[in-house]
Amino acid sequence: MSSHKPRLVSGDTPTGRLHLGHWVGSVENRVALQDDYDCYFLIANVHAFTTRMERPLEIRESVLDIATDYLAAGIDPKRSTIFIQSEVPAIAELTFFFSMLIPYPRLMRNPTIKDEIRDKGLGDNYPFGFLLYPVGQVADILSFRAEIVPVGEDQIPHLEMTREVARRFDQLYCGVDSHTEDRDYVKNGGLFPVVELKLGRTRRLVGTGGPTPEGNLLKMSKSLNNAIFLSDDADTIARKVKSMYTDPKRLKATDPGTTENNPLWLFHETFNPDKAWVEEAKARYREGKIGDMESKNRLIEVLVALIEPIYQRRQVFAADPGQVLAVLKEGTAKANDITQETLRLAKMAMKQDYF
Ligand code: ATP
Ligand code: MG
């Protein structure tokens, strides 16, 4: 049945646990789209090695953590497939072929790569494999011949590269005319659909910390110690919200504050279902008529209401890692079936099918 639905691929790097940025950027959409698409969710453990090659045990633990987070957040293994990237070799094989279709200067212009080098403090000594990971991501997606990818804003450059590789491959090896509309590539003989991206309702959730010296708010990220996790209990959420950055010029409750670029209010805008309260409270904040504590306490209520059910379900799955591993094993087998078929078809198109 499910094979008649269009395929959806998305995933996460096991560099920690899932946080609110993942939820609004991607996971919320993934949960909602499970009935309409044949869904594949990958845990990108190979890519975790790009920034923490010296910590394999941590990556291993994080693979299980992310899988547990998925199940707790509502990804249903009866409808969707969850798998481990390193155990699906066709992805690695396709990465090599696809790397030929991406000019090196094109890769170096990728703004997300530049941001990550800066924000993760990678300096100029990052491994070659770090530059390879966006190409690997192209293969993650194309190896399933996916049609849609729900992701956050930082993934736009990677997705654009994926679309370019799909067009290039289809033109070079499948004889698709370069004037073809993106949606017609497969209809006109291409192997790879030109994938569409689906951004979350908040494309880039900021972290709980303040701005950088340049005045930018960093995105919430597992690696930047500025995240509220889907596995945080109510006390932890309260502690994190209470210590959240707000407008430093606002010393007393009676000083007017700015709601622009202020994580507290950005969080209310994203998560508080009571829009009328948010607008009214923001107006009061700008006039110095509401204290940080009132809006923080409100935010704690809102976030606990969202995360608590996920947290409770997570406790159940976390108590049974054997069950989580069984889900991963079954999902990985299914991912191998599909990606091996793609690899076979890709090699045929590239005239490298010998035996
Ligand atoms: P890392 O710090 O290791 O890069 P991360 O927190 O950025 O981790 P990823 O695994 O790189 O998480 O991203 C997984 C998915 O979640 C991607 O689709 C990404 O766009 C989305 N995402 C991550 N952080 C955010 C955020 N703060 N806002 C919106 N979407 C996000
Ligand atoms: Mg990231």
Side-chain angles (χ1 to χ4, degrees):
M1 283 283 284
S2 63
S3 61
H4 298 299
K5 294 181 195 166
R7 286 194 199 127
L8 175 155
V9 169
S10 191
D12 302 277
T13 338
T15 47
R17 286 167 292 140
L18 292 187
H19 53 64
L20 285 173
H22 297 118
W23 178 254
V24 286
S26 169
V27 175
E28 182 182 46
N29 269 333
R30 298 186 209 168
V31 171
L33 294 171
Q34 289 183 101
D35 283 328
D36 298 331
Y37 292 88
D38 188 15
C39 293
Y40 295 84
F41 300 121
L42 97 155
I43 305 183
N45 61 330
V46 178
H47 295 184
F49 278 81
T50 60
T51 54
R52 29 196 103 183
M53 74 297 277
E54 77 288 15
R55 284 179 273 170
L57 267 180
E58 235 177 80
I59 296 175
R60 187 189 176 97
E61 250 171 56
S62 180
V63 167
L64 212 64
D65 271 340
I66 299 251
T68 310
D69 284 339
Y70 281 170
L71 297 170
I75 290 176
D76 171 10
K78 292 200 186 68
R79 288 179 288 163
S80 299
T81 303
I82 306 175
F83 69 96
I84 304 178
Q85 189 184 40
S86 66
E87 303 313 291
V88 178
I91 294 176
E93 291 185 54
L94 285 168
T95 301
F96 212 127
F97 285 116
F98 290 154
S99 70
M100 312 302 167
L101 304 182
I102 303 168
Y104 180 68
R106 168 78 183 79
L107 187 72
M108 293 310 288
R109 278 198 306 272
N110 183 319
T112 293
I113 286 292
K114 289 186 187 158
D115 287 354
E116 284 189 276
I117 289 171
R118 186 196 58 217
D119 296 343
K120 294 180 181 173
L122 303 181
D124 52 12
N125 207 20
Y126 46 84
F128 172 74
F130 178 75
L131 297 177
L132 194 61
Y133 104 77
V135 188
Q137 208 170 306
V138 170
D140 294 335
I141 296 166
L142 295 188
S143 62
F144 288 88
R145 285 164 280 153
E147 292 182 36
I148 185 173
V149 182
V151 283
E153 183 179 74
D154 59 316
Q155 299 298 308
I156 293 175
H158 301 345
L159 258 288
E160 200 39 60
M161 224 163 74
T162 309
R163 291 157 58 81
E164 285 169 23
V165 170
R167 291 188 199 104
R168 190 96 202 280
F169 187 102
D170 288 345
Q171 290 169 16
L172 275 178
Y173 305 124
C174 308
V176 176
D177 185 272
S178 62
H179 300 292
T180 303
E181 296 280 341
D182 283 346
R183 60 171 183 282
D184 292 334
Y185 265 75
V186 170
K187 199 170 79 192
N188 292 1
L191 175 59
F192 297 113
V194 181
V195 68
E196 274 177 37
L197 92 167
K198 184 170 177 65
L199 290 168
R201 68 190 156 99
T202 297
R203 302 155 64 143
R204 177 185 181 279
L205 183 71
V206 300
T208 53
T212 61
E214 298 81 42
N216 304 316
L217 290 173
L218 294 174
K219 90 173 183 81
M220 184 175 285
S221 165
K222 300 185 226 95
S223 313
L224 300 176
N225 200 17
N226 64 359
I228 295 177
F229 294 101
L230 300 183
S231 46
D232 281 343
D233 61 19
D235 287 346
T236 308
I237 296 169
R239 183 173 47 72
K240 287 183 179 175
V241 171
K242 281 182 185 154
S243 60
M244 223 166 130
Y245 174 88
T246 56
D247 182 1
K249 291 194 288 300
R250 199 180 128 82
L251 299 174
K252 306 192 289 287
T254 50
D255 291 344
T258 166
T259 55
E260 306 289 311
N261 254 343
N262 182 331
L264 181 61
W265 293 103
L266 295 172
F267 273 58
H268 268 299
E269 281 164 13
T270 299
F271 296 105
N272 194 332
D274 188 350
K275 301 292 170 220
W277 183 87
V278 175
E279 284 316 305
E280 177 263 334
K282 267 166 53 181
R284 279 198 285 143
Y285 191 82
R286 286 190 290 261
E287 292 164 12
K289 290 184 181 154
I290 176 174
D292 280 341
M293 249 13 251
E294 182 182 339
S295 47
K296 284 188 171 177
N297 283 334
R298 227 1 132 84
L299 185 61
I300 291 169
E301 282 168 26
V302 165
L303 295 183
V304 169
L306 171 69
I307 294 177
E308 180 71 12
I310 299 175
Y311 174 83
Q312 292 299 343
R313 278 196 301 272
R314 197 181 194 285
Q315 297 296 93
V316 179
F317 290 113
D320 190 0
Q323 185 197 351
V324 179
L325 267 178
V327 165
L328 287 171
K329 189 172 176 191
E330 197 179 314
T332 301
K334 196 171 163 205
N336 271 315
D337 288 346
I338 292 176
T339 55
Q340 284 300 334
E341 175 66 1
T342 305
L343 183 63
R344 189 181 69 77
L345 295 169
K347 284 182 174 170
M348 239 166 80
M350 291 186 290
K351 312 290 180 234
Q352 304 306 308
D353 52 331
Y354 294 103
F355 314 113

